[in-house]
Amino acid sequence: MALEKLRKEDTLEMRKRLIGQSCRLFYSDDPVKIVRARGQYLFDENGTRYLDCISNVHHVGHCHPSITAAAAAQMELLNTNTRFLHDNMVVYADRLRATLPEKLCVFYFVNSGSEANDLALRMAQQYTRHDDVIVLDHAYHGHLMSLIDISPYKFRKLAGQKEWVHVAPLPDTYRGLYREDHPDPCQAYADTVQHLIEEVHRKGRKIAAFFAESLPSVGGQIVLPEGTRLKSQSEYVRAAGGVFVADEVQTGFGRVGSHFWAFQLHGEGFCPDIVTMGKPMGNGHPLACVATTVEVAEAFTANGVEYFNTFGGNPVSCAIGLALLDVIEKEDLRGNATRVGAHLKDLLKNLQLRHQIIGDVRGVGLFVGLELVTDRQQKTPATETAARVVKRLKEEDNICVSTDGPWENVVKFKPPMCFSMEDAELVVRCIDRILTGQLHKDAAVYSSYQKMVHRYTDHLQIH
Ligand SMILES: Cc1ncc(COP(=O)(O)O)c(C=O)c1O
């Protein structure tokens, strides 16, 4: 509570003085100071409420009472070193196992998506005894040095591409190499991976892994083309002796609605060799995981070196993870993601009919992107307008969204999974108003929405 008593200006001054400036703030010109949150709503130090359209970490809603209760109860009882035997870790692993294909049945708990991907890379290299990695263009897989190396989104701004890293084109049918008008974009994109593998072999190198997000996020909320999707790519990689790593750090735990894991969108029977998970897993608590096959796990164990992670899979983290799985089921949040996500996409598609600047609307479940372009033919990124939409939504409507994609022109929606139909309607109306060039918000629309929010917050006893 003491921290809340700092004046906003003092917090900002201390942050500038004490915290590394490469750690950026949202809305750096006029940052928001959030002091509490519930569901999909954030509250600043004056009690002003913001609608959160982007906190994909706070998956089942901010400060969900079931998660808080599970964490507090376990914290009071025991939180100890992961080398002691404890029920929570094994019960949680068993619950996760039930969500995955049978082959993915060995688990390693860690504390962040970066740790999970770093471990996956180690495992892949140890299992295959190969070194090289294929990644999709514009990908981001984490902040460790090993992951900066396999993240084109980062290494292009830093030391550049290492010789063991190979970049395949992003299968983006809106503005990528092969587009909607291509007769078979799935096969064309799969072929790019096969050609890359042949090139790697010609250099006398061998593929350890292909890392791919099941739905590329930083790349611009990309939904891969219908059809075989990543299945063929994974087959080519396996034929070359490598493994397929599905990075589900952003997309797992039902965000896509129809499936628990986004890789399950890639076709019946498609099974990665390694799945990494993080962000939504602990609803804000640092909890992440690597799931893999017995074969990969045995190869990882074979050198006799212990894998020890002080905090990964501790009793409190696992209690939180278990509670999160229960909430997803009890509150039918996958159903909600399907329904509200479809509604949001429909509303945005309607908006596209009236606003030339909307080049593309895409998404699955509550993973939705709105791509803005100044020219539909040339697909010139409307980066400035996207930034203006983000700023005005925050300043005029108290709505938090942000942008993604190589040109930061894709307005992204990855809200907590309790996001409602009314939330979707409000944000689309506000975007409509901003794109139409209206200066002020529509009072009638806003007051009916406010009434709905009050009903909701009263129900949750948020005061
Ligand atoms: C796809 C993906 N993988 C991995 C990571 C790294 O996760 P963390 O920030 O928890 O280390 C991120 C983070 O943004 C991500 O988006």
Side-chain angles (χ1 to χ4, degrees):
M1 284 299 118
L3 286 179
E4 281 186 32
K5 291 193 178 131
L6 285 176
R7 289 182 318 140
K8 183 176 164 184
E9 309 83 84
D10 296 336
T11 316
L12 192 56
E13 184 279 320
M14 287 175 76
R15 172 137 178 162
K16 280 189 182 146
R17 185 161 43 84
L18 298 168
I19 307 298
Q21 288 305 292
S22 48
C23 305
R24 295 196 186 141
L25 284 164
F26 278 137
Y27 312 112
S28 52
D29 293 347
D30 180 22
V32 184
K33 181 175 172 183
I34 297 299
V35 297
R36 62 193 175 91
R38 197 64 176 263
Q40 60 275 46
Y41 304 110
L42 305 163
F43 297 86
D44 73 8
E45 76 284 12
N46 302 315
T48 303
R49 187 181 48 241
Y50 290 83
L51 172 63
D52 180 359
C53 301
I54 45 174
S55 287
N56 55 346
V57 170
H58 308 95
H59 195 59
V60 299
H62 290 271
C63 307
H64 193 290
S66 302
I67 309 280
T68 313
Q74 186 58 52
M75 194 78 167
E76 207 166 40
L77 195 64
L78 172 78
N79 196 24
T80 188
N81 193 295
T82 50
R83 279 191 183 123
F84 286 110
L85 196 57
H86 194 275
D87 286 351
N88 286 10
M89 184 193 276
V90 292
V91 172
Y92 185 37
D94 202 40
R95 285 283 298 278
L96 288 174
R97 190 192 52 76
T99 67
L100 287 159
E102 231 171 284
K103 268 177 63 184
L104 295 168
C105 59
V106 186
F107 298 85
Y108 295 80
F109 291 106
V110 296
N111 308 290
S112 69
S114 296
E115 274 192 28
N117 279 331
D118 181 71
L119 179 57
L121 179 59
R122 257 178 85 186
M123 284 177 166
Q125 290 178 332
Q126 209 160 310
Y127 173 67
T128 61
R129 296 173 187 269
H130 299 168
D131 292 326
D132 288 22
V133 172
I134 298 178
V135 288
L136 292 176
D137 206 357
H138 307 298
Y140 175 65
H141 294 293
H143 61 78
L144 302 186
M145 276 172 75
S146 60
L147 306 171
I148 298 290
D149 283 347
I150 65 164
S151 299
Y153 167 71
K154 290 283 180 196
F155 71 59
R156 293 232 166 90
K157 297 176 197 156
L158 295 165
Q161 191 169 341
K162 298 274 161 67
E163 73 288 357
W164 55 275
V165 177
H166 312 281
V167 180
L170 181 65
D172 171 0
T173 50
Y174 177 67
R175 63 162 65 247
L177 195 56
Y178 306 112
R179 302 184 176 178
E180 288 110 342
D181 57 357
H182 189 280
D184 189 356
C186 293
Q187 192 53 49
Y189 280 116
D191 288 346
T192 62
V193 172
Q194 178 62 4
H195 296 150
L196 205 51
I197 293 171
E198 287 160 11
E199 213 178 289
V200 172
H201 287 172
R202 275 198 295 278
K203 290 182 191 158
R205 311 189 63 95
K206 289 186 174 155
I207 300 295
F210 179 16
F211 272 70
E213 270 192 280
S214 307
L215 296 172
S217 315
V218 170
Q221 301 283 110
I222 305 297
V223 179
L224 303 182
E226 285 288 338
T228 52
R229 295 180 164 180
L230 289 175
K231 198 159 180 252
S232 313
Q233 280 90 324
S234 73
E235 281 159 12
Y236 297 150
V237 169
R238 283 196 190 115
V243 296
F244 185 84
V245 182
D247 181 335
E248 290 272 345
V249 168
Q250 291 230 22
T251 54
F253 294 85
R255 173 148 301 276
V256 300
S258 57
H259 298 82
F260 198 86
W261 301 104
F263 72 78
Q264 292 166 322
L265 295 167
H266 296 270
E268 203 55 36
F270 171 59
C271 179
D273 302 284
I274 302 177
V275 172
T276 59
M277 43 190 101
K279 288 184 192 287
M281 197 170 177
N283 215 49
H285 181 86
L287 171 60
C289 181
V290 176
T292 190
T293 62
V294 170
E295 294 75 18
V296 172
E298 280 178 354
F300 187 61
T301 308
N303 64 7
V305 177
E306 178 191 17
Y307 177 75
F308 175 60
N309 189 316
T310 304
F311 303 119
N314 68 70
V316 170
S317 297
C318 291
I320 289 172
L322 278 162
L324 180 116
L325 295 179
D326 288 340
V327 174
I328 293 173
E329 266 173 43
K330 253 193 239 155
E331 299 184 6
D332 184 28
L333 293 180
R334 280 176 52 199
N336 191 61
T338 304
R339 290 183 295 274
V340 177
H343 189 49
L344 175 62
K345 229 170 83 174
D346 283 349
L347 294 169
L348 291 172
K349 286 220 180 253
N350 276 335
L351 217 56
Q352 189 182 19
L353 301 176
R354 288 187 290 109
H355 296 286
Q356 280 297 312
I357 199 161
I358 300 180
D360 194 31
V361 175
R362 53 183 176 258
V364 192
L366 281 172
F367 178 98
V368 174
L370 175 76
E371 177 146 6
L372 303 183
V373 291
T374 54
D375 175 335
R376 280 195 184 172
Q377 224 56 38
Q378 302 295 323
K379 301 186 196 264
T380 317
T383 307
E384 275 177 29
T385 307
R388 202 160 44 245
V389 168
V390 170
K391 190 170 181 317
R392 287 189 59 186
L393 281 175
K394 175 243 179 186
E395 286 177 359
E396 296 166 22
D397 305 298
N398 300 342
I399 294 176
C400 298
V401 296
S402 67
T403 54
D404 245 336
W407 297 276
E408 296 291 345
N409 66 321
V410 181
V411 179
K412 67 176 169 187
F413 301 89
K414 279 183 278 195
M417 300 269 284
C418 48
F419 204 69
S420 70
M421 295 287 192
E422 291 83 356
D423 295 324
E425 283 158 17
L426 177 79
V427 68
V428 174
R429 278 186 183 140
C430 294
I431 291 174
D432 189 16
R433 188 197 78 245
I434 292 167
L435 294 181
T436 310
Q438 271 176 253
L439 290 179
H440 301 292
K441 58 191 176 200
D442 178 339
V445 168
Y446 208 72
S447 91
S448 80
Y449 172 78
Q450 293 286 61
K451 279 187 199 135
M452 182 283 301
V453 171
H454 282 140
R455 277 201 303 280
Y456 178 82
T457 49
D458 283 351
H459 164 70
L460 287 177
Q461 296 181 324
I462 299 171
H463 300 293

